[in-house]
Amino acid sequence: MESTNHTAVSEFLLLGLTDNPALQPFIFSLFLSMYLVIILGNLLIILAVSSDSHLHTPMYFFHSNLSFTDICISTTTIPKMLANIQAQDQSISYTGCLTQNGFVLVFGGLENCLLAVMAYNRYVAICHPLRYMVIMNPCHCVLLILLSLLISIMHSLLHTLMVLRLSFCTALEIPHFFCELS
């Protein structure tokens, strides 16, 4: 079995949400405002947690990491979509598509792992309230974050490397506003 890509794909077309040119300014302003709200809201959460010493607990540490991950996953997809709408060019390069797909998988997986870590944190707080601060010490919290990051990076690498083995002959149109190779 040969593992090389037989076709030299240089770019894909992101079809986006609609073909109607009259809706493009509305969609652009809607997604720009949503993006700004996402960035500002999550930055306010991170700022509040880092500035108030009463919020230096494992729960808020995980909340601020979840907010940072939300900023990252939004920044991976929305700016390219906004640039495509503004420039009236729906293309994305092959490497750009793989990169965007990899980062979406990393940050999406990291969000899921962080939610599982937050559930574990609540489990420890409810089932072991007297030993909570011993179990969820700062070193353990950082290790849980690093383990989540490692799991999501490994998952993303697995999927991205599997996509490299695919050959793209005619299906160069992606029916989304970000690069997701289904």
Side-chain angles (χ1 to χ4, degrees):
M1 302 230 343
E2 192 172 319
S3 65
T4 59
N5 194 348
H6 294 292
T7 59
V9 176
S10 62
E11 63 183 28
F12 292 101
L13 290 177
L14 298 173
L15 297 180
L17 299 174
T18 183
D19 291 337
N20 190 352
L23 287 177
Q24 296 294 337
F26 173 72
I27 290 174
F28 180 83
S29 60
L30 178 70
F31 274 90
L32 179 63
S33 61
M34 284 177 15
Y35 180 64
L36 292 176
V37 167
I38 288 169
I39 298 297
L40 291 176
N42 286 313
L43 282 177
L44 284 176
I45 290 172
I46 293 170
L47 181 66
V49 169
S50 64
S51 65
D52 190 359
S53 63
H54 292 93
L55 300 179
H56 291 176
T57 62
M59 180 179 71
Y60 291 110
F61 175 70
F62 296 136
H63 275 289
S64 62
N65 278 288
L66 188 66
S67 293
F68 178 73
T69 304
D70 194 30
I71 289 172
C72 292
I73 197 166
S74 300
T75 304
T76 302
T77 56
I78 295 178
K80 177 63 178 166
M81 184 194 70
L82 293 175
N84 285 352
I85 291 173
Q86 192 68 21
Q88 297 295 322
D89 178 28
Q90 308 312 92
S91 65
I92 185 169
S93 68
Y94 178 73
T95 56
C97 183
L98 286 179
T99 304
Q100 188 182 52
N101 190 28
F103 279 116
V104 165
L105 287 172
V106 165
F107 294 126
L110 185 57
E111 276 191 355
N112 291 333
C113 288
L114 285 176
L115 289 173
V117 166
M118 291 170 76
Y120 172 71
N121 177 46
R122 290 294 86 201
Y123 167 77
V124 171
I126 292 169
C127 294
H128 306 288
L130 298 176
R131 297 185 333 175
Y132 174 73
M133 291 309 291
V134 174
I135 296 171
M136 297 302 289
N137 61 40
C139 181
H140 190 242
C141 292
V142 170
L143 285 176
L144 286 172
I145 297 291
L146 291 176
L147 179 66
S148 299
L149 184 61
L150 178 70
I151 289 170
S152 62
I153 287 174
M154 295 304 291
H155 177 258
S156 173
L157 276 175
L158 175 71
H159 282 279
T160 305
L161 291 175
M162 286 179 11
V163 167
L164 285 174
R165 295 179 54 95
L166 296 176
S167 61
F168 301 97
C169 299
T170 58
L172 299 178
E173 295 178 344
I174 300 172
H176 302 292
F177 61 88
F178 67 97
C179 195
E180 180 186 42
L181 302 175
S182 43

